[in-house]
Amino acid sequence: MPESTILPSAQDRDLRVDFFRGFALWFIYLDHIPSNVMSWVTMRNFGFADATEVFVFISGYSAALAYGRVMQRQGFGFALANVWHRVWQLYVAHLVLFMFYTAQVAYVAARFRNPMYVDEINIAQMIEAPHLALIHALLLRFRPVNMDVLPLYIVLLLSFPLALPWLRRRPLGVFTASLALYGAARLFDWNLPTYPAGDGWYFNPFAWQLLFVIGALCAAAPERVFRWVPWNRWLAWAAALYLVFSLLIVLSWQVPLIDSVVPDWLSDVLYPIDKTNLDSLRLAHFLALAYLVAHAVRPDARFLQSTLVRPLIECGRQSLYVFCVGIFLSFATHFVLVETSGSTFMQIAVSVGGIAILSALAVTLNWYKRMDLRSRKLPKQEASVQ
Amino acid sequence: MLCAVAFAFACPAARADEVVPENCEVSSSLVYSEEALPFVAGRLERDKVLTILVIGSGSTAGSGVSEPRFAYPEQLRSKLLSVFPSAVVTVRKDAKRGATAKDMLRTLESDLNTVKPSLVIWQTGTADALRSVPLNEFGMSLDRGLRLLKRKMVDVILMDMQFSPMTDAFIHSSPYRGYMRWAAKRNEVILFRRYDIMEYWWNHEVFDLGSTDAEVQLSNADNIHECIAGLLAQMIARGVRQPQ
């Protein structure tokens, strides 16, 4: 299989990136709705890795593509400014989400005073000093549940310029450094602090940066990556077998029959599977999946052009908006489920509704972007006449 | 055949299925366990005595029920009396609102010496998830407690947190539940999956756990605690019958 057919040409937008990012965003949305039967269809029930791995990898990949191009055309300084401008946008988005979160907690605490949940209701009182909580939120230290992906992305992108110039020149060096950091973080328990004092960030940036860097290297130095990990039938079989193994273990958590077949020594080796520190099982699962998918789905694959797949691609293109609105919608959806009915039918209905809203939003934003670009290209006289 | 083998226990198999109120039955995979309760079985056979210590946090203390006797540990006693009618059943509890696994560990040994149970029902995870206690710390407390119980030759049923549709969006319970599942498997103890069971009831509209009506909340609490007690009794009966 010649390498050139697997890589997109430099000018075309690689639709696969949009497609898989759209996928990850939909799954993140579904997974963020608590006790949602639709979350059964998401990745995490078929293997160790879930949408977060996909999201981080693709973020690295597209960051390297986008800012690599900027660096080539306009120099490192401008690329740096570009990256940090983006980081600022992400930070603002995080604060907006935090505002919605606080509003929801306050509302729930006021309305839902069920004494049976005397321990759980304390969540509102956990924010004992709201002004302190706000300061810590600004410092990315107070990150409530379900608001962990964006701060991770912020930190990763913020430090990305450190690696950017070396991605093409010294890919092996960058990979080694990243791997060393990952190993040290897991060995010495490095993490960033949280408030209230707890375990550190739910997604440890020191560990997760490895996946981001791997994604970036795949975009910036694909020929080298293909030389290190060529298409090999044995490797493909090993990857496939690992995926099956991973599926069985995940199933064993739900199906007692399979659970009884898993030997104790295996359980001892596998568990606990550390999501916070990017457990090697999850990393390996994602890499196996990526290896097979990268070769199965070419950049020019026909299904990527079909209308059925278009909502995914549109969502993938507007990832920040879709992500933020997705998180907000997951709050709202959860609220609707609790207030009206928690039945399975409702769960499916609101999940599908939410996806529809996200797709509509993405399509609208992309349309607006195209229109905006077109109006800017009009010659000045025409514009002033109108 | 089962009756003949278990005649000393006066055939609890049939009675065990009767203690669970009909409306709160759940799918069998949620209450399935391969683990046995050898110390409970031994003590029942020798002395016809079943002493249980329940340690936990707010829900175990009986928060939300209309009267203290409707809390699940108290209801468990009457359920067990109908499953093992010829046995002397004692249920003691040590429960404090907001107690984490580490807090419970502090008083565990003295409680064991006082009560001398053959079974400990350890309800934990709620306060830990709420406060985002470091997972390692939670795990260590769990492991230490389970090892202590094994040394003292006491059977264990681990119980995880309650499911609440309202606060579910704000509390990361799954890492703690996952850890409890793993600790239970590793230490070969039964895990009573209260969270999954209550979520099942919510999904199948058995109880409106998101209701803001005080009267509904009260009657729900009494019923839920009865259901929990019934399912626990059923689990204990099965564990006693389980070959080791």
Side-chain angles (χ1 to χ4, degrees):
Chain A
M1 220 175 279
E3 296 165 3
S4 55
T5 53
I6 301 176
L7 307 170
S9 65
Q11 297 311 311
D12 298 335
R13 193 183 174 98
D14 189 353
L15 283 179
R16 296 181 302 175
V17 172
D18 294 330
F19 175 74
F20 288 116
R21 188 156 44 192
F23 233 118
L25 288 169
W26 282 17
F27 282 169
I28 289 179
Y29 164 69
L30 290 176
D31 283 341
H32 270 116
I33 306 171
S35 65
N36 182 7
V37 72
M38 283 292 277
S39 66
W40 278 106
V41 310
T42 60
M43 261 181 79
R44 66 181 183 191
N45 299 299
F46 297 97
F48 299 132
D50 65 17
T52 321
E53 272 86 351
V54 178
F55 188 76
V56 172
F57 176 84
I58 290 195
S59 301
Y61 187 94
S62 43
L65 269 184
Y67 300 114
R69 258 184 227 147
V70 172
M71 189 174 72
Q72 269 177 352
R73 292 196 200 132
Q74 286 150 301
F76 178 71
F78 189 72
L80 180 67
N82 235 321
V83 169
W84 283 356
H85 177 242
R86 182 67 172 165
V87 168
W88 171 252
Q89 286 179 329
L90 296 173
Y91 182 67
V92 169
H94 171 76
L95 293 183
V96 170
L97 280 182
F98 178 72
M99 221 178 60
F100 282 114
Y101 169 83
T102 311
Q104 202 191 14
V105 169
Y107 181 81
V108 168
R111 238 176 96 75
F112 182 66
R113 294 172 184 281
N114 190 337
M116 194 173 83
Y117 296 107
V118 69
D119 286 335
E120 291 88 333
I121 299 179
N122 262 335
I123 187 71
Q125 281 97 61
M126 288 314 309
I127 316 180
E128 278 159 1
H131 55 289
L132 276 182
L134 189 56
I135 294 178
H136 288 287
L138 286 169
L139 294 172
L140 294 185
R141 287 180 70 197
F142 180 54
R143 294 144 317 108
V145 169
N146 289 344
M147 292 185 53
D148 307 292
V149 180
L150 212 45
L152 172 68
Y153 190 22
I154 289 174
V155 168
L156 290 178
L157 205 56
L158 188 65
S159 30
F160 177 63
L162 282 173
L164 183 58
W166 312 108
L167 286 175
R168 266 201 84 77
R169 282 187 240 164
R170 297 260 184 281
L172 191 57
V174 171
F175 178 70
T176 318
S178 175
L179 192 62
L181 183 57
Y182 170 78
R186 298 203 63 188
L187 205 60
F188 302 121
D189 266 335
W190 290 348
N191 200 339
L192 292 178
T194 53
Y195 166 86
D199 213 358
W201 287 35
Y202 186 66
F203 292 119
N204 186 348
F206 295 118
W208 281 80
Q209 50 80 26
L210 179 60
L211 199 49
F212 191 82
V213 166
I214 292 177
L217 285 172
C218 285
E223 329 80 26
R224 300 286 286 268
V225 171
F226 276 109
R227 223 177 324 138
W228 300 336
V229 192
W231 176 252
N232 178 325
R233 205 135 51 101
W234 297 111
L235 216 52
W237 271 111
L241 273 169
Y242 185 71
L243 290 181
V244 172
F245 167 74
S246 168
L247 173 65
L248 285 173
I249 296 291
V250 171
L251 281 178
S252 77
W253 300 338
Q254 301 299 331
V255 180
L257 190 63
I258 302 185
D259 193 29
S260 54
V261 168
V262 176
D264 284 336
W265 62 263
L266 189 59
S267 297
D268 274 350
V269 165
L270 293 176
Y271 301 131
I273 301 183
D274 196 351
K275 180 167 178 168
T276 297
N277 294 309
L278 190 59
D279 197 292
S280 33
L281 287 169
R282 294 179 63 118
L283 182 63
H285 180 252
F286 173 76
L287 291 176
L289 200 56
Y291 182 70
L292 291 174
V293 164
H295 289 270
V297 180
R298 307 287 177 70
D300 52 2
R302 221 138 22 113
F303 80 93
L304 290 173
Q305 313 276 354
S306 75
T307 18
L308 229 67
V309 149
R310 218 174 124 226
L312 275 168
I313 294 188
E314 300 275 352
C315 286
R317 286 226 180 113
Q318 289 292 341
S319 61
L320 183 59
Y321 279 107
V322 171
F323 178 81
C324 293
V325 176
I327 298 290
F328 168 71
L329 270 182
S330 69
F331 288 162
T333 312
H334 177 240
F335 185 73
V336 165
L337 282 178
V338 170
E339 289 290 330
T340 57
S341 142
S343 74
T344 314
F345 172 74
M346 273 301 283
Q347 289 173 17
I348 296 178
V350 293
S351 300
V352 171
I355 300 273
I357 293 177
L358 289 176
S359 307
L361 171 74
V363 168
T364 311
L365 286 171
N366 283 324
W367 167 82
Y368 176 75
K369 205 168 162 188
R370 277 198 309 275
M371 292 277 105
D372 194 37
L373 227 68
R374 222 174 277 173
S375 74
R376 293 228 205 107
K377 285 200 183 130
L378 285 171
K380 286 225 171 96
Q381 307 100 301
E382 274 194 44
S384 60
V385 161
Q386 285 162 7
Chain B
M1 210 301 238
L2 262 168
C3 271
V5 165
F7 83 96
F9 313 139
C11 206
R15 289 173 220 261
D17 295 325
E18 289 164 25
V19 293
V20 181
E22 219 180 278
N23 67 322
C24 50
E25 276 172 9
V26 293
S27 63
S28 49
S29 59
L30 285 177
V31 288
Y32 173 86
S33 176
E34 285 187 331
E35 310 298 345
L37 296 172
F39 299 120
V40 173
R43 196 91 191 275
L44 264 175
E45 192 181 326
R46 277 195 323 265
D47 311 322
K48 294 251 183 39
V49 162
L50 176 53
T51 311
I52 300 180
L53 169 66
V54 186
I55 51 178
S57 58
S59 54
T60 303
S63 60
V65 291
S66 53
E67 279 171 57
R69 62 190 173 94
F70 289 131
Y72 79 82
E74 281 78 0
Q75 296 217 41
L76 179 62
R77 183 171 176 274
S78 46
K79 298 284 184 189
L80 284 172
L81 276 174
S82 55
V83 175
F84 304 112
S86 56
V88 174
V89 180
T90 319
V91 176
R92 293 279 175 81
K93 76 179 183 192
D94 181 2
K96 270 183 297 290
R97 282 168 51 171
T100 60
K102 204 172 183 184
D103 298 333
M104 297 179 206
L105 201 58
R106 279 195 207 111
T107 50
L108 182 58
E109 192 152 11
S110 58
D111 283 341
L112 287 177
N113 292 333
T114 321
V115 178
K116 295 202 201 355
S118 44
L119 171 68
V120 164
I121 297 178
W122 191 1
Q123 178 256 308
T124 183
T126 314
D128 307 80
L130 185 73
R131 291 204 223 151
S132 294
V133 164
L135 204 56
N136 289 339
E137 194 182 305
F138 175 67
M140 267 199 314
S141 310
L142 263 187
D143 281 333
R144 269 209 265 163
L146 291 174
R147 277 202 305 263
L148 170 65
L149 289 163
K150 196 173 223 168
R151 266 202 326 268
K152 297 270 184 175
M153 303 216 285
V154 178
D155 282 326
V156 186
I157 294 182
L158 216 50
M159 187 189 301
D160 55 20
M161 56 286 281
Q162 296 187 104
F163 167 77
S164 152
M166 284 287 198
T167 53
D168 207 24
F170 309 116
I171 304 175
H172 255 158
S173 61
S174 51
Y176 300 89
R177 278 185 292 126
Y179 204 104
M180 285 177 79
R181 186 173 50 219
W182 177 60
K185 192 164 178 177
R186 204 159 68 120
N187 290 281
E188 291 173 334
V189 299
I190 297 179
L191 174 66
F192 184 79
R193 295 161 58 177
R194 184 169 58 162
Y195 183 95
D196 292 333
I197 289 171
M198 287 178 75
E199 187 179 16
Y200 181 92
W201 289 334
W202 162 252
N203 283 336
H204 289 80
E205 297 187 302
V206 177
F207 294 113
D208 183 7
L209 298 175
S211 166
T212 48
D213 183 317
E215 272 182 42
V216 172
Q217 288 175 354
L218 203 61
S219 75
N220 274 347
D222 289 345
N223 289 332
I224 287 173
H225 277 250
E226 190 194 348
C227 289
I228 301 275
L231 288 169
L232 270 174
Q234 193 181 55
M235 230 176 199
I236 292 173
R238 286 211 194 108
V240 160
R241 287 202 315 273
Q242 194 85 276
Q244 289 137 51

